[in-house]
Amino acid sequence: TDDQLRLLKQLIAAENIDEKRWPARMLAGLIDDWKNRALTPSRVPASEAHAYDGKGVALYTQYQRRLIELNATDFGDLLLHCVTIFQAHPDVLAQWQDRFRYILVDEYQDTNVAQYLWLRLLAAGHRNICCVGDDDQSIYGWRGATAANLEAFVEDFPTAQGPAPKKQLTTSWRNPPEVLDLANGVSDAVLGPAETRAVAALEARPGADAGEVTLGFFPHHDAEIAFVADRLAQEYREASETGRPFSAAALVRKNRHSPVLAAALEERGVPYEIVGLAGLLDVPEVADTVAVATMLVRPDDAAAALRILSGPAVGLGLADLQALATRASNLRGSAAETPLEHDPTDATEHLLA
């Protein structure tokens, strides 16, 4: 997020690191990868100590310290703190194990190491767990997810009689055979033969209607947009003339593609609705307003203050913010070189307080 990158840039500047050569986004991705594997700074393997010009672990440590001071967490902390709390406090783990006697997990192929460890700890109480997934639909590898968790489920959560039972649902009730044949072919080419994967290939339901798959190759982006818009406009006109309902969907890889396609449909008189865009809090003006409201309620909220000071209303630059941070640190009487007595990222005690 913007707030996360802003904080990381401050830390990078304080270490006199060339942010153009070592971007904040690179550090953010590195920290996110460690958190996805449930690694606090003290647990980062020595083989990865060279990361980010050899300063990644130290910056990770400073970053976690600042989050504690700001009483804030990032996305990765939501799982990391749960894992560390469960591991360090058996009494807390027991309370949550007792609360959830039965656990059902969907999209299990998209779990990462942190999620896997958290789930193993939570399910160890009653051992009543059911996971649903399809390794062909694993799409969160960039966030540390691995479909290997799905394949290993029967051994990771055994019953008293042996490996956990496994039930495969291989009938597709909504896709025609032609679509499934293409999807299975792509999966075989990318992931290997169906026989070697955790889930067998899908088959169409008995009596399924025939389908059609069209592959298009276009010289440029505009041609692709025009082709899709023309096809949808044709089907919309045919549906209107015959009085049948019209329903269609166009999937895009990035949100910024949606307005372009929407404009093309509007030119052709096709009604549309855009879904799946960023949340309201991702709109800069809304986030700025929330920051101001937060300061009214919690004047010591440094994260909100940071957004206001660096936003358009005040417009302080990175050097100004760093100077303010140094001044605030001096006023608090906390020197930057003061050693920590414990791992600052294992915020267990802080979170439980």
Side-chain angles (χ1 to χ4, degrees):
T1 65
D2 291 342
D3 292 335
Q4 180 191 32
L5 292 177
R6 196 176 292 113
L7 175 56
L8 289 174
K9 287 180 179 180
Q10 285 186 46
L11 299 176
I12 293 171
E15 293 294 322
N16 295 317
I17 298 174
D18 184 359
E19 208 263 328
K20 292 183 178 179
R21 184 179 179 186
W22 301 96
R25 287 190 181 277
M26 180 189 298
L27 180 58
L30 181 64
I31 292 175
D32 187 59
D33 176 66
W34 283 331
K35 291 187 177 183
N36 287 335
R37 290 185 282 151
L39 298 175
T40 61
S42 63
R43 296 174 181 172
V44 174
S47 60
E48 299 180 33
H50 65 280
Y52 201 78
D53 198 28
K55 300 178 180 179
V57 176
L59 287 169
Y60 182 16
T61 302
Q62 295 178 37
Y63 173 67
Q64 291 300 99
R65 181 192 300 124
R66 285 293 292 137
L67 288 180
I68 293 175
E69 293 173 353
L70 296 170
N71 196 29
T73 62
D74 61 16
F75 185 82
D77 283 334
L78 300 180
L79 280 168
L80 178 63
H81 289 329
C82 287
V83 173
T84 55
I85 288 173
F86 281 176
Q87 290 174 336
H89 296 270
D91 56 329
V92 176
L93 173 60
Q95 291 178 19
W96 287 96
Q97 287 175 338
D98 186 61
R99 183 170 182 176
F100 297 105
R101 295 184 58 194
Y102 299 92
I103 299 174
L104 173 61
V105 183
D106 196 11
E107 306 292 359
Y108 191 62
Q109 78 281 348
D110 282 326
T111 53
N112 58 31
V113 174
Q115 291 170 314
Y116 167 78
L117 293 175
W118 172 78
L119 191 61
R120 285 288 299 268
L121 291 166
L122 190 62
H126 297 282
R127 305 194 65 81
N128 295 320
I129 181 171
C130 175
C131 291
V132 181
D134 181 357
D135 51 359
D136 284 2
Q137 299 183 40
S138 181
I139 60 174
Y140 283 98
W142 58 275
R143 188 167 279 170
T146 171
N149 289 344
L150 178 65
E151 185 175 357
F153 174 83
V154 295
E155 301 294 339
D156 289 338
F157 298 93
T159 65
Q161 292 73 35
K166 174 181 175 180
K167 173 66 176 177
Q168 296 204 48
L169 305 177
T170 58
T171 301
S172 174
W173 294 88
R174 61 183 178 184
N175 290 308
E178 292 79 3
V179 172
L180 293 173
D181 288 343
L182 176 60
N184 290 332
V186 172
S187 296
D188 289 345
V190 175
L191 303 174
E195 295 78 14
T196 65
R197 303 200 301 273
V199 180
L202 292 177
E203 299 178 350
R205 62 178 173 81
D209 296 333
E212 177 184 353
V213 177
T214 302
L215 298 180
F217 299 88
F218 308 95
H220 47 76
H221 179 253
D222 292 340
E224 181 182 12
I225 291 292
F227 171 82
V228 174
D230 288 340
R231 179 67 179 268
L232 292 176
Q234 178 185 348
E235 294 188 9
Y236 175 68
R237 286 194 298 269
E238 292 176 355
S240 299
E241 292 171 357
T242 58
R244 60 180 175 83
F246 170 74
S247 178
L251 307 181
V252 297
R253 289 187 60 85
K254 297 182 178 180
N255 287 335
R256 61 183 175 84
H257 296 157
S258 297
V260 181
L261 179 58
L265 292 174
E266 187 170 357
E267 290 177 358
R268 293 161 176 77
V270 180
Y272 64 86
E273 178 183 2
I274 301 177
V275 297
L277 293 179
L280 187 61
L281 289 177
D282 291 324
V283 178
E285 294 81 2
V286 175
D288 292 340
T289 302
V290 171
V292 173
T294 300
M295 289 293 293
L296 294 175
V297 179
R298 296 195 302 272
D300 59 344
D301 193 305
L306 183 62
R307 181 169 191 93
I308 296 171
L309 293 173
S310 61
V314 180
L316 294 184
L318 186 59
D320 296 324
L321 292 173
Q322 184 59 45
L324 282 175
T326 302
R327 177 60 175 163
S329 178
N330 292 336
L331 290 175
R332 287 197 306 268
S334 57
E337 62 272 12
T338 300
L340 292 175
E341 298 178 357
H342 56 82
D343 182 355
T345 62
D346 189 3
T348 303
E349 301 297 342
H350 174 76
L351 293 174
L352 292 174

